[in-house]
Amino acid sequence: MCTLEQRGRVFVLTLTGDGEHRLGHPLIASLRSAVASVAAAAASAGPGTALVTVAEGRFFSNGLDIGWAGTSRPRLQELVDALRPLAADLLALPMPTVAAVTGHASAGGFLLALCHDYRVMRADRGVLYMSEIDIGLPLPPYFVAMFRAKITAANALRDVLLRGRKLRAAEAKEMGIVDAVCPGPAETAAEAIKLAEQLAARKWDGGVYASIRMSIFPEACKSVGIVEESDEEKRKHFASRL
Amino acid sequence: MEPNNLCTVERRGRVHLITLTGAGEHRLSPALLSAIRSAVAASAGAGALVLSAEGKFFSNGFDQAWARTAPLHLHSTMDGGFRALVADLLELPMPTVAAVTGHAAAAGCALALAHDSVVMRGSRGFLFMSEVHAGIKIVDFLAELMREKVPDAVNRRDLLLRGDKMSAAEAVRRGIVDKAVDGGVEDVVNAAVAEAEKLAARGWDGEVVAEIRKAVWPKVWDKAKDYGADAPAAARPRL
């Protein structure tokens, strides 16, 4: 379902296979396990690591496994609830994160891409798409919090959530949703890894990096259940480094 | 205002101009914060305020050297002094302009952005949220001020999470500061004073300026209001 490898200072998490990478219990569990390994490896590797999440095939991820949920509201809620801690793990990850959007990213898949600090996307095919309005599903509160945090231009937010606009890479870049656009999937993955290497080379303290990420997106972090440190804890951290 | 060697005040027309003096980094120590607060308090009767600095730096942030030697329980006096200064600026009954004449880093950058308008030197000097590089976590008040004044998600990330050194041109392009001014420190100060004079010429009711400003930045006002000069003594945190 997913593989994890380390290339120098960059961890590469790959959603494997040609399918839609639907976020059902098995894939979510695999991803959480992989992200936990990354966090653990970072602790021993010291400052100067980064994560790239990439996918094989035509899809980055087509969202929650609504096929498995079927007409069952409780099942759908289970998947919504299962994805939330994965979002939290990514937002709390003590290193820079880059999503290589190598295919369609819809609904929960778009959310997954947004949980990363940076996005590189292929230009030739694939869209970012919040399908919920078109299929008649309300948005879970933490989805809304994440989109409100990361897409701050009012018209862009409206277009994405309220109009179900499908974004190709170029327009996503213009809207500030994607940072770099590459011709195809191989270039996208390569550019994402290169960006991750540049970020890793800054050798930022991972704990401080994650703390600052929380400082800039507090509502999104709170919505996925992350508790921000108090000022006192932050000052103690400062004092402990003297 | 007591004379001190940390900052000067002068009136230019309707503008109350405060200058952080000397060629140093203008680190926001408790002493400098107190001096600036006194200078701000001396603005009564003016039509607008400008904060500027001499030398290469506008301000390089908190006085970490002082923090290294001060006991932990006193660190909050520096944070508290900064909050008090921002409270004073937020409730000042006149428009405020920061003349970013040199580097503005960390709390120094936040202090500049706490003003209504920011005029920045084009040829040198950066806005720089250096904390990520220095390995220092950002305390809540500083983060709140930056969040309200830098609402764009990409700008926030690039400035705070990537710690970009932002030139005036870049900052203007991103909408973080209002104007880049070519030339030296004096040119930037003159431009800021001219901007302030234009704002003073609007003849706005100062109390209304303060009320509207606090309403426009409610989150940072809410976190600053108990610290300012006008805060009821009972509400004021004991530092």
Side-chain angles (χ1 to χ4, degrees):
Chain A
M1 309 221 79
C2 70
T3 61
L4 182 63
E5 56 176 310
Q6 192 173 348
R7 301 192 200 178
R9 307 295 281 176
V10 175
F11 295 95
V12 181
L13 172 58
T14 307
L15 289 92
T16 50
D18 241 331
E20 295 188 11
H21 311 132
R22 283 278 181 177
L23 295 160
H25 286 301
L27 179 55
I28 292 174
S30 296
L31 288 171
R32 287 205 69 196
S33 173
V35 172
S37 305
V38 171
S44 45
T49 54
L51 170 74
V52 171
T53 301
V54 66
E56 293 173 347
R58 286 187 306 129
F59 291 85
F60 180 75
S61 166
N62 219 18
L64 295 177
D65 193 350
I66 54 178
W68 174 82
T71 51
S72 161
R73 278 290 156 113
R75 274 198 170 189
L76 184 59
Q77 190 58 47
E78 256 187 56
L79 293 180
V80 167
D81 292 343
L83 185 60
R84 188 171 173 260
L86 174 59
D89 295 343
L90 287 167
L91 286 178
L93 201 65
M95 65 181 68
T97 57
V98 183
V101 185
T102 42
H104 297 293
S106 352
F110 190 168
L111 178 88
L112 186 62
L114 273 194
C115 285
H116 293 68
D117 299 325
Y118 300 85
R119 278 151 295 286
V120 180
M121 186 170 172
R122 67 189 287 186
D124 58 332
R125 36 185 350 186
V127 291
L128 298 171
Y129 171 42
M130 285 310 278
S131 49
E132 285 84 347
I133 187 147
D134 288 332
I135 59 182
L137 278 179
L139 291 166
Y142 73 90
F143 275 48
V144 177
M146 185 69 69
F147 277 78
R148 292 189 69 208
K150 299 273 186 134
I151 302 177
T152 45
N155 285 353
L157 186 64
R158 181 220 35 216
D159 284 0
V160 165
L161 293 185
L162 200 50
R163 285 202 186 155
R165 187 168 159 193
K166 293 178 179 173
L167 303 177
R168 299 285 297 270
E171 45 195 353
K173 177 152 195 258
E174 254 176 64
M175 291 160 86
I177 295 169
V178 150
D179 301 292
V181 175
C182 294
E187 296 91 341
T188 300
E191 188 63 30
I193 289 171
K194 184 169 144 209
L195 174 58
E197 282 166 352
Q198 287 168 353
L199 295 165
R202 306 307 298 273
K203 288 206 174 306
W204 293 315
D205 176 299
V208 170
Y209 186 86
S211 170
I212 292 176
R213 188 196 282 122
M214 271 176 240
S215 293
I216 64 173
F217 300 125
E219 290 99 1
C221 291
K222 196 161 147 204
S223 79
V224 295
I226 301 172
V227 177
E228 197 179 351
E229 266 179 311
S230 66
D231 279 356
E232 204 188 304
E233 288 164 328
K234 290 178 183 178
R235 283 189 208 112
K236 280 194 189 140
H237 172 266
F238 173 77
S240 74
R241 293 177 57 249
L242 298 178
Chain B
M1 188 196 126
E2 286 169 31
N4 67 75
N5 59 354
L6 298 175
C7 64
T8 59
V9 304
E10 60 182 284
R11 287 286 165 101
R12 293 194 190 176
R14 278 170 286 199
V15 177
H16 183 79
L17 171 63
I18 302 171
T19 306
L20 307 182
T21 50
E25 295 186 13
H26 312 130
R27 288 274 180 174
L28 299 171
S29 61
L32 179 55
L33 287 165
S34 180
I36 301 171
R37 291 190 71 203
S38 293
V40 169
S43 65
L49 176 141
V50 172
L51 177 64
S52 70
E54 292 174 346
K56 252 181 68 177
F57 293 89
F58 176 77
S59 168
N60 219 19
F62 283 132
D63 193 345
Q64 307 296 13
W66 173 86
R68 267 179 214 114
T69 59
L72 186 62
H73 73 275
L74 283 185
H75 287 196
S76 55
T77 59
M78 200 157 54
D79 294 348
F82 181 79
R83 279 165 100 142
L85 173 55
V86 172
D88 294 346
L89 288 169
L90 289 176
E91 60 186 342
L92 205 67
M94 67 187 74
T96 61
V97 181
V100 181
T101 44
H103 300 296
C109 176
L111 178 60
L113 297 191
H115 292 67
D116 300 332
S117 302
V118 182
V119 166
M120 192 171 162
R121 188 171 176 196
S123 55
R124 351 163 64 166
F126 298 109
L127 295 184
F128 184 37
M129 290 305 285
S130 48
E131 288 88 341
V132 68
H133 306 300
I136 296 175
K137 297 179 180 182
I138 300 179
V139 288
D140 179 62
F141 181 72
L142 212 61
E144 189 68 83
L145 178 54
M146 294 306 293
R147 288 193 297 260
E148 268 205 320
K149 291 282 186 153
V150 185
D152 181 85
V154 173
N155 288 346
R156 259 191 217 175
R157 179 199 65 194
D158 292 349
L159 190 56
L160 286 104
L161 194 58
R162 198 166 66 185
D164 284 0
K165 283 183 176 167
M166 242 177 235
S167 67
E170 181 69 11
V172 167
R173 192 184 65 77
R174 289 175 182 254
I176 296 171
V177 310
D178 299 293
K179 198 188 236 186
V181 178
D182 291 327
V185 166
E186 268 319 302
D187 298 298
V188 182
V189 174
N190 291 340
V193 168
E195 178 67 20
E197 189 65 61
K198 267 176 29 191
L199 294 168
R202 302 297 297 271
W204 293 320
D205 178 321
E207 295 306 321
V208 172
V209 169
E211 287 311 302
I212 292 178
R213 185 195 290 119
K214 289 183 287 187
V216 168
W217 312 114
K219 289 180 174 175
V220 67
W221 170 245
D222 191 63
K223 291 182 178 177
K225 66 183 193 288
D226 290 338
Y227 289 75
D230 288 346
R236 222 173 288 166
R238 284 163 22 143
L239 299 172

